[in-house]
Structure formats: structure tokens, C-alpha cells
């Protein structure tokens, strides 16, 4: 228990001593350069946020076919590794720690983003019921993905292993496996998107198999104490559903205990999940199941986050939109300063505006 702990209590995360428990959540900003290579602009953005206890860098495709949106960075080419070095070196020079979120979007893509205009891949050939694909030519209807053959799955695991190895070469401090928000690993985990009849579908054990194989491969590269996993048990985003989310995610989380991971990162249920008839399971439900560090996220503010840590419901709290708008969020929380409001119109794509021009406190009061 951590009765006296709060956002400013240091935390030992694997080999790293975090100066605070205020984590920057992974945030796709669609501002990678040509070839989906990170640039000096991206380095500036992350450096501005280096006072976070930990930065989890934006979702980053481990392979070209894992891309689902324009200008998202990759970690599969030598140029991308060099680009990420700009980011990791700059963050380290400013005293920060940075993990990379490893991503494959599965069906949340479009042939125009795929090598050779291929169909996106997924556990089963089921088109997302709602929403549209984001392409370089604007929004387009989703296409029905191609179901992966069972003999292709070792190749998918290998793509994550290679992405993890590339992240190590790029100077990151660790990696987070993106198992949340309706992307490939989540598509395998939940039975709304996984109708397979082989060893990767049907039972919960089978549906969790790819997540666990990927985790084993990534842990093999990094050691478990520098690997986190993100899951979203209640999320209906990207047309996700499961017939028994408590059972599905309890099994997956219990199975993740075998690795001794750096952390498990869970999303709380949201209002959108409630509107879509989601299961609305609070992350605290899974607290007794996971035998390790738990990070929670979604709509937290300073007081709610302090309460979650003090009650022992979570060890770490990540902040998304507040970190977009407040590069110095820890200092603002420390002195309970007012916060800049995020501008959703500049979240996805564009240049410096809405990216590196949110003012820090001292600039405002000078
Ligand atoms: C602009 C934007 C980009 C996001 N990109 C990612 C991402 O790359 N990976 C991910 O796991 N979640 C992503 N999310 C979800 C956030 O990590 C976080 O779960 C969400 O913003 C809720 O936290 P908040 O209320 O503190 O903003 C994104 C959210 C936003 C607003």
C-alpha cells in the first residue's frame, strides 16, 4: 500500500527511478517526416515534455503493413532508427526517460497505406462496423481485411521482435506493446473481431496466444523489466466488442504475470464506451489480478490521479491531452497552476502549430 504516496513520490520502474509518477501517454500526432522517419521537430516536442516521470512515445508501426494512418513513425527501417536516435538522445540530454509504443494496426488500415496496395490483415475478415480509414487522400470507407493464415503468425511475432530490437538500437529506455484500442493484438484478443477456428481463435487461451507470443519475443530482446503492455478492457473504439470482457482480460492479465513486466497500462472506461454499450470495467477491478506495477489512464486530472495513487488503485497515471497542451505538466501539477487547453484541431497532422508552441509556465509569467 502507498497511503502517503502521490504523483510526486518517486517510483522505481524496473531499472529506472522515476522522479514522479506523471507519465506522458502514447499520442499519435501524424508528424513524422518522409519515409515515416522521426525528425528534429519530433525531438523538440518530446524534449519539451522530458520532465514527465516517463514518456511513452507515440504508437509506431513495427512493419509497413502495420501502418494505419498518414505520417505515423515506423521502427522498421535504418532511417527510422536514426530518426528516433535524435529523439532519444535529446530526451536523455534533458534528463528524461522514453519508451516506444510498438504498433500494428491490423484491420484499421487501407490498401492505399499498404505495401503494393494489399488488403489490411486481421485475425478474421471482418470490416470495422463504424468509422472510416484515414489515408493520405482523406477519409475512405474501410475495406474487409484479409484473415491472416496461421503460418503467417510467426512472421508477425518476428516483426514485433525486430521492432523491439530496432527500438533498443535507437536508444529507447524500454518499449510498450500496444495491445489496446482495437489494433491487431486487441483484434486477436476479443471475440467480436476474432472468429478463427485454429489455435489463435475460439477459447480465451487461444485468443490471448498472439499477445503472449509477442510479449515473450519482446521480453527476449529487452528483458521483462523494460517492457510494458497496454490493454483497454472496456474500449469500444474501432468497433471493438467482447462477449465476456471480464473473463477475457482477467485471463490475459493473469497470463502476463508470468513475465514480470515493467508495468501493465490499462485504460479506464470512457463516456464513448458507455454510449456504445461497453462493459465499463474500472481498472481497479484488475488491480488484484496483476502482480506488478499498474499504470492507469483516461480523463485523469491532478486530484483524481493523486487519489488513485493514495488509495493504491494504481502506481502510475498517464496523461494524454493534458500533456499535448502542457509541456511542463509536472511543474503545473506541483504548484497547482492553471492548465493550457488542448486544441483538437491540431492533434493529428500539421507542423509546429499545436505541437511545439504550447507555452510553458515561465514563458507565460515572464
Ligand atoms: C491525439 C491523440 C493520439 C493518441 N494516440 C495514441 C497512441 O498512439 N497510442 C495509444 O495507445 N493511445 C493513443 N491515444 C490515447 C491516449 O493515450 C489516452 O489513452 C487518451 O488520450 C485518454 O487519456 P487523457 O484523458 O489523459 O487524454 C491518443 C489520444 C489522443 C487524444
Amino acid at each position: 500500500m502507498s497511503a502517503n504516496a502521490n504523483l510526486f513520490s518517486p517510483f522505481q520502474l524496473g531499472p529506472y527511478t522515476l522522479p514522479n509518477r506523471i507519465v506522458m501517454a502514447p499520442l499519435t500526432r501524424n508528424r513524422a517526416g518522409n519515409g515515416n522517419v522521426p525528425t528534429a521537430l519530433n525531438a523538440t516536442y518530446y524534449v519539451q515534455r522530458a520532465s514527465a516521470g516517463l514518456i511513452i512515445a507515440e504508437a509506431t508501426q513495427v512493419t509497413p503493413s502495420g501502418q494505419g494512418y498518414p505520417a505515423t513513425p515506423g521502427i522498421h527501417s535504418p532511417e527510422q532508427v536514426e530518426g528516433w536516435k535524435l529523439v532519444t538522445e535529446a530526451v536523455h540530454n534533458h534528463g528524461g526517460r522514453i519508451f516506444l509504443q510498438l504498433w500494428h494496426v491490423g484491420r484499421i488500415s487501407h490498401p492505399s497505406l499498404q505495401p503494393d496496395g494489399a488488403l489490411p490483415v486481421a485475425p478474421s475478415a471482418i470490416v470495422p462496423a463504424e468509422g472510416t480509414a484515414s489515408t493520405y487522400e482523406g477519409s475512405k470507407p474501410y475495406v474487409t481485411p484479409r484473415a491472416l493464415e496461421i503460418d503467417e503468425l510467426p512472421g508477425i511475432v518476428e516483426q514485433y521482435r525486430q521492432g523491439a530490437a530496432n527500438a533498443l538500437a535507437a536508444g529507447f529506455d524500454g518499449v510498450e506493446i500496444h495491445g489496446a484500442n482495437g489494433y491487431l493484438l486487441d483484434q486477436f484478443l476479443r471475440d467480436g473481431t476474432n472468429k478463427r477456428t485454429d489455435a489463435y481463435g475460439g477459447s480465451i487461451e487461444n485468443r490471448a496466444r498472439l499477445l503472449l507470443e509477442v510479449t515473450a519475443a519482446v521480453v527476449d530482446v529487452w528483458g521483462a523489466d523494460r517492457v510494458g503492455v497496454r490493454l483497454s478492457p472496456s474500449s469500444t473504439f474501432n468497433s471493438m466488442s467482447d462477449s465476456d470482457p471480464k473473463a477475457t482480460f482477467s485471463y490475459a492479465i493473469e497470463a502476463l504475470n508470468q513475465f514480470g513486466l515493467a508495468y501493465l497500462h490499462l485504460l479506464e472506461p470512457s463516456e464513448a464506451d458507455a454510449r456504445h454499450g461497453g462493459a465499463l470495467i474500472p481498472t481497479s477491478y484488475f488491480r488484484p489480478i496483476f502482480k506488478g506495477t499498474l499504470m492507469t489512464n483516461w480523463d485523469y486530472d491532478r486530484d483524481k490521479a493523486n487519489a488513485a495513487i493514495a488509495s493504491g488503485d494504481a502506481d502510475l497515471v498517464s496523461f494524454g491531452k493534458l500533456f499535448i497542451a502542457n509541456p511542463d505538466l509536472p511543474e503545473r501539477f506541483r504548484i497547482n497552476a492553471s492548465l493550457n487547453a488542448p486544441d483538437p484541431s491540431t492533434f493529428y497532422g500539421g507542423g509546429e502549430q499545436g505541437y511545439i508552441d504550447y507555452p510553458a509556465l515561465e514563458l507565460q509569467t515572464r
Side-chain angles (χ1 to χ4, degrees):
M1 284 301 292
S2 38
N4 297 316
N6 65 26
L7 284 172
F8 289 93
S9 312
F11 190 80
Q12 193 65 33
L13 186 77
Y16 307 112
T17 305
L18 312 187
N20 61 61
R21 299 169 183 226
I22 303 165
V23 176
M24 180 177 173
L27 293 159
T28 291
R29 305 302 307 276
N30 308 83
R31 283 165 168 90
N34 287 340
N36 299 327
V37 173
T39 66
L41 174 66
N42 306 136
T44 299
Y45 162 77
Y46 282 113
V47 160
Q48 288 177 340
R49 288 153 181 80
S51 64
L54 176 70
I55 293 171
I56 305 167
E58 65 211 81
T60 296
Q61 57 267 8
V62 293
T63 181
S65 52
Q67 183 176 0
Y69 305 85
T72 55
I75 188 73
H76 50 82
S77 78
E79 295 78 15
Q80 290 161 352
V81 171
E82 290 308 307
W84 278 119
K85 279 184 189 167
L86 292 177
V87 174
T88 60
E89 282 167 15
V91 167
H92 291 152
N93 286 341
H94 287 77
R97 291 142 302 278
I98 182 166
F99 278 34
L100 183 66
Q101 195 184 41
L102 300 177
W103 200 21
H104 191 309
V105 301
R107 68 177 186 164
I108 303 299
S109 186
H110 187 270
S112 69
L113 292 162
Q114 293 290 314
D116 304 321
L119 289 176
V121 295
S124 302
I126 302 172
V127 68
E130 289 182 23
T132 50
S134 304
T135 79
Y136 286 98
E137 298 86 38
S139 301
K140 296 195 174 175
Y142 282 120
V143 299
T144 301
R146 179 177 72 79
L148 285 158
E149 302 291 339
I150 192 165
D151 62 8
E152 292 179 279
L153 297 179
I156 298 278
V157 175
E158 190 50 37
Q159 289 164 353
Y160 280 92
R161 180 197 301 276
Q162 188 61 54
N166 292 347
L168 190 60
F172 283 96
D173 299 301
V175 289
E176 176 176 287
I177 297 166
H178 198 343
N181 295 349
Y183 298 111
L184 185 68
L185 298 176
D186 199 19
Q187 291 161 27
F188 269 84
L189 197 51
R190 294 200 249 179
D191 61 10
T193 38
N194 185 342
K195 305 291 184 193
R196 300 178 74 91
T197 54
D198 60 14
Y200 292 81
S203 67
I204 298 174
E205 291 81 353
N206 284 354
R207 284 184 277 123
R209 192 177 307 281
L210 188 64
L211 171 70
L212 297 174
E213 289 181 353
V214 165
T215 305
V218 172
V219 162
D220 199 34
V221 172
W222 275 92
D225 63 350
R226 297 188 290 173
V227 175
V229 171
R230 191 173 216 210
L231 298 174
S232 52
S234 304
S235 179
T236 56
F237 180 62
N238 283 330
S239 308
M240 293 302 290
S241 65
D242 190 80
S243 60
D244 191 353
K246 276 190 179 163
T248 296
F249 285 92
S250 295
Y251 173 81
I253 289 168
E254 168 66 39
L256 288 171
N257 281 329
Q258 67 185 282
F259 297 105
L261 295 173
Y263 64 84
L264 175 69
H265 191 180
L266 293 180
L267 275 71
E268 300 281 2
S270 72
E271 282 170 23
D273 300 330
R275 281 197 306 278
H276 285 86
L280 311 187
I281 313 164
T283 68
S284 56
Y285 175 85
F286 299 104
R287 178 60 149 166
I289 300 173
F290 189 64
K291 311 291 181 216
T293 294
L294 185 71
M295 185 187 306
T296 188
N297 168 261
W298 202 277
D299 252 352
Y300 275 91
D301 59 20
R302 175 180 181 269
D303 291 348
K304 254 176 72 180
N306 274 328
I309 291 172
S311 71
D313 279 350
D315 302 297
L316 302 166
V317 182
S318 73
F319 300 86
K321 293 179 289 295
L322 291 184
F323 252 117
I324 289 178
N326 297 277
D328 53 350
L329 189 64
E331 178 62 7
R332 286 178 191 253
F333 277 167
R334 196 181 64 79
I335 64 174
N336 209 6
S338 64
L339 300 176
N340 300 322
D343 173 8
S345 74
T346 51
F347 280 0
Y348 304 105
E352 296 186 3
Q353 193 200 341
Y355 191 53
I356 59 165
D357 61 354
Y358 285 104
L361 267 179
E362 59 269 31
L363 295 176
Q364 285 179 332
T365 52
R366 199 178 277 163

